[in-house]
Amino acid sequence: MTKEVRVRYAPSPTGHLHIGNARTALFNYLYAKHFDGKFIIRIEDTDEKRNVEGGEESQLKFLKWLGVEWDEGADVGGNYGPYRQMERLDIYNQYVNELLERGLAYKCYMTEEELEQEREEQIANSQAPKYGGKHRNLTPEQIAAYEAEGRKPSIRFRVPDNVTYTFEDMVRGTIKFESSDFGDWVIVKKNGVPTYNFAVAIDDHLMNITHVLRGEEHISNTPKQLMIYQAFGWEAPTFGHMTLILNEDRKKLSKRDSHIIQFIEQYKNLGYLPEALFNFITLLGWSPVGEEEIFAKEKLIEIFNPERLSTSPAIFDVQKLKWMNNEYIKASDLDKVIELAMPHLIEAGRLSADMDEETKEWAEKVIGLYREQLRYGQEIVELTEMFFNKEIAYDEEAKNVLAEEQVPEVLQVFTDKLIHLEEFNKDTIKDQIKATQKETGHRGKKLFMPIRVATTGQTHGPELPLAIELLGKELIVERLDKLLKDIGA
């Protein structure tokens, strides 16, 4: 590429960072870094009624958490600012005035009620609703009369007749629109604030944006933006529209979809690793060469090829995300896993925030037991339940194990050996399991399953000798004695 690649992620602070936003940001970031270009963040805050408090801060905070850095933006500066649209109103006004002077835009004094009536009449006549142009050619006298009434005008772009707008989409190939599909559209609202399609075209030009990667819902916005580019004789950027993200029922991902967590902040709070989420989201609508799916950020930057953006919708597979996060957890050092999981045990009331050093060391060992199977931090609460419940409630599978004929002998011998243990640790416990095998002649499942069920209440679980050590000698012997009495041994 001869020209420096410059791409942007331009969120509206109308909400917090969700999966769709994050994917747009990641693809632009990867594109810029792959081509040694610049990644810009621009805040599109002109919809003031819908802006939420903390929306901008949330977007930036959780992009940083994901591992995304930007070269220019409201918080880091740059040569093309301001980077918030509401701070650029004077810039837009210059271009609005030019369009008005050239007759490419005009003031429209129609009220909301009049526009709604026009829309209803068009629908009743089986016409596609669009602005009919009633105020396209007002006389100076008509304008004066409307202003005397106190009407505030919007400003509309005069859509040219018989023009075909064509662009080569990086994902979808050639896309065409006819100007006859559009009525004259509003570029400045009655409150003096520019509309999205006008402001974004001005900004992208002035910020030298070369490529625009965004969701497919923006395809219909593109011809309006091309109209602005052509009106000023500017070169348009290259557009690429990513496919939808669907849930597992192949329905569009919606904020109302309760099956899929939508917001990046929620994944952080659940104990997902940012590098795993970065990896997973990158594969929503883009695929690398080969079968490998686990990639570090640096590798994704190296191999990111826009030609491999998918033309089919991406499926958000919740189980795949959990699997991927587990892969990252297994590859992390134990301190990182502890840092991820410990807050959830504290939040659940299992541990005290000001626990003593002995309890902390014990809790760290408990967490370490589940490192191989932990899929996200909060899951530690459920996985470690047996360490915080004194009583055992045996399920049907456990009861079937305890009903086997060799169980009384195995448990009695094992209990006798544990009682006399002076050092109670995983190694000495392992030795006593072997000694029980030797004395009873029972091995394999016949030996291990009764011991596991009797001591932990579970038929499957982590390394047994260490689990028994962490449960403690007093509790284990108490459980074994009680069970032996219950089964009449």
Side-chain angles (χ1 to χ4, degrees):
M1 293 189 179
T2 54
K3 194 158 58 167
E4 180 186 51
V5 167
R6 288 178 57 83
V7 300
R8 47 75 169 178
Y9 169 59
S12 299
T14 52
H16 300 282
L17 185 66
H18 60 73
I19 293 294
N21 293 149
R23 182 183 69 163
T24 298
L26 291 189
F27 280 15
N28 278 282
Y29 170 77
L30 290 168
Y31 192 93
K33 296 308 167 188
H34 179 77
F35 291 108
D36 294 320
K38 294 290 190 294
F39 175 57
I40 296 100
I41 288 192
R42 184 175 70 228
I43 305 298
E44 297 185 344
D45 56 352
T46 57
D47 193 351
E48 293 184 290
K49 287 182 181 177
R50 292 182 58 227
N51 291 346
V52 300
E53 188 176 349
E56 178 183 331
E57 291 77 5
S58 169
Q59 291 274 343
L60 301 184
K61 176 182 177 181
F62 290 102
L63 280 176
K64 287 176 182 173
W65 178 77
L66 279 172
V68 176
E69 311 98 22
W70 42 97
D71 302 291
E72 299 170 29
D75 60 333
V76 297
N79 297 327
Y80 297 87
Y83 293 92
R84 293 188 187 93
Q85 286 187 330
M86 287 303 289
E87 297 172 7
R88 298 173 63 82
L89 296 184
D90 289 344
I91 296 172
Y92 306 132
N93 285 338
Q94 296 172 31
Y95 292 97
V96 171
N97 290 335
E98 182 180 335
L99 292 176
L100 287 169
E101 289 169 9
R102 293 169 57 198
L104 299 179
Y106 61 91
K107 293 179 179 180
C108 171
Y109 292 87
M110 288 183 72
T111 64
E112 294 302 321
E113 292 74 22
E114 289 170 338
L115 290 167
E116 183 58 33
Q117 184 180 348
E118 178 182 69
R119 176 184 171 83
E120 288 175 0
E121 288 172 0
Q122 289 171 334
I123 292 172
N125 294 326
S126 301
Q127 296 172 321
K130 64 182 181 181
Y131 178 66
K134 287 183 181 178
H135 286 199
R136 206 172 204 241
N137 298 297
L138 293 177
T139 65
E141 291 76 19
Q142 287 172 313
I143 291 173
Y146 284 130
E147 293 200 345
E149 287 180 30
R151 292 198 189 193
K152 289 195 175 296
S154 60
I155 298 175
R156 291 183 181 271
F157 182 81
R158 197 182 296 272
V159 176
D161 296 328
N162 305 315
V163 174
T164 301
Y165 295 96
T166 304
F167 62 97
E168 288 299 318
D169 191 283
M170 284 194 288
V171 179
R172 299 157 188 279
T174 304
I175 298 179
K176 295 182 179 183
F177 288 90
E178 300 300 325
S179 61
S180 57
D181 296 336
F182 301 87
D184 295 345
W185 52 281
V186 174
I187 59 173
V188 180
K189 294 175 279 190
K190 292 181 181 181
N191 62 2
V193 176
T195 58
Y196 167 78
N197 283 307
F198 180 68
V200 77
I202 302 294
D203 290 342
D204 283 346
H205 171 71
L206 294 180
M207 293 182 181
N208 287 342
I209 300 302
T210 59
H211 298 77
V212 174
L213 272 172
R214 56 192 180 186
E216 70 172 28
E217 66 274 14
H218 286 286
I219 290 176
S220 60
N221 288 324
T222 309
K224 290 183 178 180
Q225 292 162 26
L226 290 174
M227 291 178 199
I228 301 301
Y229 274 88
Q230 290 188 11
F232 290 110
W234 297 337
E235 180 185 351
T238 300
F239 294 96
H241 291 90
M242 299 170 286
T243 56
L244 293 172
I245 302 175
L246 306 181
N247 65 19
E248 287 155 323
D249 296 326
R250 303 192 75 81
K251 293 180 180 175
K252 183 181 176 183
L253 207 59
S254 160
K255 292 175 187 175
R256 294 180 293 278
D257 189 342
S258 59
H259 299 294
I260 293 175
I261 298 164
Q262 298 290 325
F263 294 98
I264 301 303
E265 181 176 6
Q266 292 172 292
Y267 286 100
K268 178 181 183 294
N269 292 342
L270 282 169
Y272 281 82
L273 290 168
E275 52 268 40
L277 209 54
F278 188 110
N279 190 161
F280 176 79
I281 294 172
T282 301
L283 300 181
L284 290 174
W286 176 83
S287 60
V289 175
E291 300 298 316
E292 180 61 48
E293 293 187 295
I294 305 292
F295 298 100
K297 179 174 75 171
E298 293 71 24
K299 186 65 177 178
L300 287 169
I301 289 171
E302 178 190 330
I303 66 175
F304 188 79
N305 181 352
E307 292 179 7
R308 295 192 64 81
L309 287 167
S310 175
T311 56
S312 303
I315 306 298
F316 193 103
D317 185 338
V318 176
Q319 296 308 314
K320 181 177 178 178
L321 172 57
K322 290 178 180 177
W323 164 80
M324 187 172 283
N325 201 59
N326 173 247
E327 292 295 307
Y328 275 87
I329 287 174
K330 287 189 293 188
S332 299
D333 61 52
L334 184 56
D335 287 344
K336 189 170 184 177
V337 179
I338 290 167
E339 184 183 338
L340 195 69
M342 189 79 80
H344 296 283
L345 291 172
I346 294 169
E347 187 181 348
R350 299 282 173 83
L351 296 168
S352 170
D354 58 352
M355 70 189 96
D356 59 37
E357 197 58 37
E358 185 180 350
T359 304
K360 184 171 178 287
E361 288 179 11
W362 173 83
E364 289 175 350
K365 288 181 180 178
V366 169
I367 291 169
L369 265 179
Y370 294 94
R371 179 182 179 180
E372 291 296 307
Q373 63 193 98
L374 188 67
R375 297 178 299 174
Y376 55 95
Q378 193 189 59
E379 198 175 36
I380 199 69
V381 177
E382 179 185 346
L383 289 173
T384 60
E385 196 170 357
M386 71 175 181
F387 290 96
F388 300 96
N389 293 337
K390 191 172 181 181
E391 301 298 323
I392 292 178
Y394 299 107
D395 62 18
E396 205 56 41
E397 189 179 1
K399 288 176 182 177
N400 289 338
V401 169
L402 296 176
E404 294 176 7
E405 61 179 354
Q406 85 287 2
V407 168
E409 181 187 9
V410 167
L411 296 185
Q412 186 65 68
V413 171
F414 184 60
T415 303
D416 291 343
K417 295 190 179 301
L418 286 191
I419 289 171
H420 297 100
L421 262 186
E422 291 185 11
E423 287 188 41
F424 195 80
N425 59 54
K426 65 176 184 176
D427 294 326
T428 58
I429 293 164
K430 190 174 183 179
D431 289 342
Q432 300 318 306
I433 293 174
K434 287 180 180 176
T436 301
Q437 174 187 315
K438 187 173 181 181
E439 185 169 328
T440 63
H442 299 297
R443 61 181 64 244
K445 283 188 175 182
K446 295 284 186 184
L447 173 74
F448 287 99
M449 286 295 280
I451 293 175
R452 180 177 290 281
V453 171
T455 55
T456 70
Q458 300 177 349
T459 51
H460 309 280
E463 181 192 344
L464 185 56
L466 183 53
I468 292 173
E469 176 193 332
L470 294 173
L471 283 163
K473 182 176 180 179
E474 184 179 341
L475 179 61
I476 290 295
V477 171
E478 183 183 320
R479 283 180 176 178
L480 287 166
D481 282 342
K482 183 176 183 303
L483 184 59
L484 285 166
K485 286 177 186 172
D486 289 345
I487 62 178

